[in-house]
Amino acid sequence: MTQPLHHWLAAAVANDGVDLKLSGVLETIAAACAELAGVLRLAPIAGQTGLAGHTNVQGEAQKELDVISNDIFIKHLRKNADISILVSEELDEALHLENHGAFAVACDPLDGSSNLDVNVTVGSIFSILAVDPGSPDLLQPGTKQLAAGYAAYGPSTSLVLTFGTAVVCFTLDENGQFVLSQDNITVPAASGEFAINTARERFWDEATKAYVSQNVAGETGPAGKRYNMRWIGSMVADIHRILMRGGIFLYPLDSETTDKGGRLRLLYEANPMALIMEAAGGGATTGHGRILEVQPKAIHQRIPVIVGSKDEVERVNALYSHQG
Ligand code: AHM
Ligand code: MG
């Protein structure tokens, strides 16, 4: 029998000690993702796939749909009095909503937006933190996340959630309701797929070069098996594939991103994906330690991201410890 998100959350509150208000925060985020899925589906007809004409705090050109997605998140989050703060990729500063709620949400409202004009999967990523509304501390390591997840807007809309233990996936049905489609997701420990932007090879460090060249060498190389490379250019879509069938995603620190600390953002890209991957039995590292243990210094901080199947992440870690 299909189980709607609302029932699943009610059971988590009744049986697993999940905070009722936290479950409400997840329902609010799910409502934002459901609305956004509808907007994305019709965006080419509405002429909304172009540039918005300004840049965000990251210095990236905002698409019209980046702005629309951010507005949808703000609209929904404002309706929930338990959420006092929003950190968004599209907002320079943390947005203080006018209430005293004990939760903060960090999100990338529309990840992979360069794929919008070619109708390739994009997503929303989110992380939920507990805050004291009087003096909110947003710079908490990922281990402190109460819950995290993402929505992937593909042929169907998936909503993947974790409280840090199990990982579950819901699918948006024809009534605009998320229903459980996969329980207890585990990422296979071994895999023969890796995801990295190979056009950046000339900027890579020794560990990344060694890992990729071992994979490319296939069954005749030290890995002793054949690999395929996949790169969608939407982190959500690449991670979703890896969560479902194994693999590894790498956006390492390279010589071009060293000044910025990496490409992807810690609070609303790396941490939620790391929580999901670890809860599914996979790994998540910077190459020099667990992503989830990094102490953030700024809300838009960037970080190297290497996540996926346990054996692959361990092999990368070993190459980094060798590199020093
Ligand atoms: P965004 O949050 O501005 O969309 O940027 C993040 C995206 C990720 O989804 C994706 O993995 C990466 O940037 C792609 O980078 P590249 O352009 O180097 O392929
Ligand atoms: Mg992003």
Side-chain angles (χ1 to χ4, degrees), residues 5-320:
L5 176 66
H6 180 72
H7 291 180
W8 185 86
L9 286 170
V13 170
N15 308 326
D16 305 329
V18 168
D19 181 342
L20 178 63
K21 291 182 174 177
L22 176 60
S23 80
V25 172
L26 284 165
E27 289 208 60
T28 296
I29 293 170
C33 295
E35 179 176 344
L36 182 49
V39 170
L40 291 170
R41 200 165 56 236
L42 299 177
I45 300 169
Q48 291 168 327
T49 56
L51 291 174
H54 24 92
T55 52
N56 64 15
V57 66
Q58 333 273 336
E60 296 155 346
Q62 276 180 317
K63 297 252 180 172
E64 194 176 345
L65 279 166
D66 282 322
V67 177
I68 292 170
S69 308
N70 193 50
D71 289 347
I72 289 174
F73 267 81
I74 293 172
K75 182 181 81 180
H76 284 270
L77 266 49
R78 269 193 204 288
K79 289 187 210 158
N80 187 326
D82 292 319
I83 307 168
S84 52
I85 300 177
L86 168 66
V87 172
S88 165
E89 178 176 333
E90 303 305 331
L91 298 171
D92 297 8
E93 309 283 344
L95 178 68
H96 291 256
L97 308 166
E98 287 116 39
N99 63 54
H100 299 285
F103 298 98
V105 174
C107 79
D108 179 354
L110 193 57
D111 179 63
S113 49
S114 66
N115 277 325
L116 281 169
D117 31 10
V118 290
N119 194 22
V120 167
T121 299
V122 292
S124 303
I125 317 173
F126 56 88
S127 162
I128 304 172
L129 296 169
V131 284
D132 170 356
S135 60
D137 174 17
L138 298 168
L139 302 180
Q140 303 178 36
T143 48
K144 300 265 188 189
Q145 293 172 101
L146 301 177
Y150 62 79
Y153 310 102
S156 60
T157 295
S158 302
L159 181 70
V160 169
L161 299 179
T162 188
F163 292 109
T165 47
V167 181
V168 290
C169 180
F170 297 82
T171 298
L172 194 63
D173 74 5
E174 68 278 20
N175 303 313
Q177 180 165 251
F178 281 106
V179 295
L180 187 65
S181 46
Q182 259 175 295
D183 216 347
N184 287 320
I185 298 165
T186 54
V187 56
S191 160
E193 284 184 356
F194 66 101
I196 189 166
N197 181 349
T198 49
R200 305 187 61 79
E201 183 171 354
R202 68 190 187 282
F203 305 123
W204 290 347
D205 55 27
E206 291 309 312
T208 306
K209 278 183 189 156
Y211 176 72
V212 173
S213 74
Q214 289 180 6
N215 290 359
V216 172
E219 48 279 71
T220 58
K225 64 177 180 185
R226 183 173 285 236
Y227 280 80
N228 270 326
M229 192 281 281
R230 299 282 182 266
W231 184 254
I232 297 175
S234 281
M235 186 196 202
V236 167
D238 278 310
I239 297 277
H240 191 64
R241 182 193 62 251
I242 291 164
L243 185 68
M244 294 297 155
R245 70 175 191 215
I248 185 169
F249 172 95
L250 305 99
Y251 218 118
L253 191 67
D254 61 32
S255 63
E256 203 184 39
T257 58
T258 302
D259 293 354
K260 293 178 173 173
R263 163 79 162 95
L264 298 170
R265 277 58 52 125
L266 175 56
L267 259 57
Y268 43 82
E269 291 178 319
N271 271 341
M273 293 310 196
L275 196 72
I276 290 166
M277 276 298 168
E278 287 202 6
T285 181
T286 63
H288 299 284
R290 261 177 101 201
I291 289 173
L292 292 177
E293 288 175 11
V294 172
Q295 173 59 52
K297 296 191 179 67
I299 59 171
H300 295 296
Q301 180 175 338
R302 296 176 191 254
I303 188 164
V305 175
I306 299 155
V307 295
S309 291
K310 206 172 179 32
D311 294 358
E312 297 302 318
V313 173
E314 275 173 14
R315 193 151 65 86
V316 177
N317 274 333
L319 289 164
Y320 270 101

